[in-house]
Amino acid sequence: AGDGDCGHTHAQAARAIREWMRSQPPPAAPAPLLSALADVLLEQMGGSSGVLYGLFLTAAARSLRGRSDSPAWADAMDAGIEAMQRYGGAAPGDRTMLDSLCAAAQALHSLRSPGADPLQVLAAAVQSAEAAAEATRHMEAGAGRASYIRSSRLEQPDPGAVAVAAVLGAVLEGLR
């Protein structure tokens, strides 16, 4: 959005997660892990991004309770996006982090196919998120901080969309 706030809040979140991981072993099961991450982000990240990530992770964690198969992760992504849309008011095409998340979710739907390779599917999701983030460069902002700025001044991709793609890329690299 031009003021560095998105980068600052994501750096703050990374530091908070690192400190949390140093202070205690993270939960091994997916649902408690995502719930704990949601709490950390809601308490420490700040800004609307912290709230939105917290909503996303809380809904995703609820969706994963008692499940950890590949299709469950696609369902969790959809649940998280639905929560962000319901409470945040943005939609795909509004030049927000949802553009990257929704593109990644479409790719993750392949996890519902028998025999899908989770790492290959996640790699495709990361590529989709990166392409969607780049596509925000030419979008009119319909929500978020960028919606308060004249379109002619928005020359870069949406920072939230870029951040989502980077986070998904980091998850992929961590899993590899």
Side-chain angles (χ1 to χ4, degrees):
D3 64 2
D5 179 61
C6 185
H8 173 76
T9 56
H10 280 80
Q12 192 168 315
R15 286 189 296 272
I17 291 168
R18 182 181 60 219
E19 290 305 313
W20 170 71
M21 290 177 67
R22 287 179 179 164
S23 71
Q24 60 194 350
L33 174 63
L34 295 185
S35 287
L37 284 171
D39 291 344
V40 170
L41 295 181
L42 286 166
E43 293 171 16
Q44 303 292 321
M45 185 174 188
S48 58
S49 293
V51 173
L52 291 170
Y53 279 119
L55 289 167
F56 176 89
L57 290 168
T58 299
R62 263 190 245 117
S63 177
L64 284 171
R65 282 192 189 132
R67 298 177 63 201
S68 62
D69 59 331
S70 292
W73 287 98
D75 295 344
M77 185 75 144
D78 289 344
I81 289 170
E82 194 273 322
M84 286 178 82
Q85 288 181 293
R86 183 177 48 229
Y87 295 110
D94 280 343
R95 195 181 200 275
T96 69
M97 66 172 67
L98 276 171
D99 292 300
S100 289
L101 280 171
C102 290
Q106 283 301 115
L108 289 178
H109 288 170
S110 295
L111 290 172
R112 295 179 179 132
S113 300
D117 179 322
L119 286 179
Q120 286 180 347
V121 172
L122 183 54
V126 169
Q127 288 179 334
S128 294
E130 289 169 346
E134 180 56 35
T136 64
R137 178 187 304 267
H138 307 292
M139 290 180 180
E140 292 283 327
R145 183 170 288 179
S147 66
Y148 304 118
I149 300 170
R150 285 192 333 253
S151 294
S152 62
R153 307 249 0 239
L154 297 173
E155 299 171 349
Q156 300 298 318
D158 179 73
V162 171
V164 163
V167 168
L168 292 172
V171 168
L172 174 62
E173 288 308 310
L175 291 172
R176 282 185 172 157

